[in-house]
Amino acid sequence: MGIEQWWAKLQPSTQEWLIENNGDVVPPAVVAEIAQAGGPAGDDSWWAGQGETPGHYFPDEAIDWVETTANDEEAD
């Protein structure tokens, strides 16, 4: 299921956190909420393992989608 399908199922506070911290490591509680909403599980290969800090990161295309959504733009 793509981000556009599970995003609306997240709590507004979680959406806001993801927008404000786009590209940062995603805390375990948020990873769990995303999985409950129909998104990828914590052990799914969808999560990018990047950055100096170990943890879950959105892949580049998801980061771009969040930025587009935050700016109220239409996704390509």
Side-chain angles (χ1 to χ4, degrees):
M1 182 182 296
I3 189 171
E4 61 281 344
Q5 296 171 311
W6 50 261
W7 178 265
K9 297 177 184 175
L10 299 177
Q11 295 178 35
S13 60
T14 301
Q15 292 175 351
E16 185 67 27
W17 187 93
L18 288 167
I19 289 168
E20 291 178 3
N21 298 280
N22 195 19
D24 293 344
V25 66
V26 180
V30 175
V31 172
E33 184 179 342
I34 289 169
Q36 280 189 310
D43 61 354
D44 192 286
S45 63
W46 181 85
W47 295 100
Q50 59 189 4
E52 296 177 15
T53 305
H56 293 87
Y57 293 84
F58 276 12
D60 290 340
E61 51 277 355
I63 291 170
D64 292 344
W65 187 91
V66 171
E67 182 176 351
T68 298
T69 299
N71 293 326
D72 292 325
E73 299 171 0
E74 287 188 26
D76 293 335

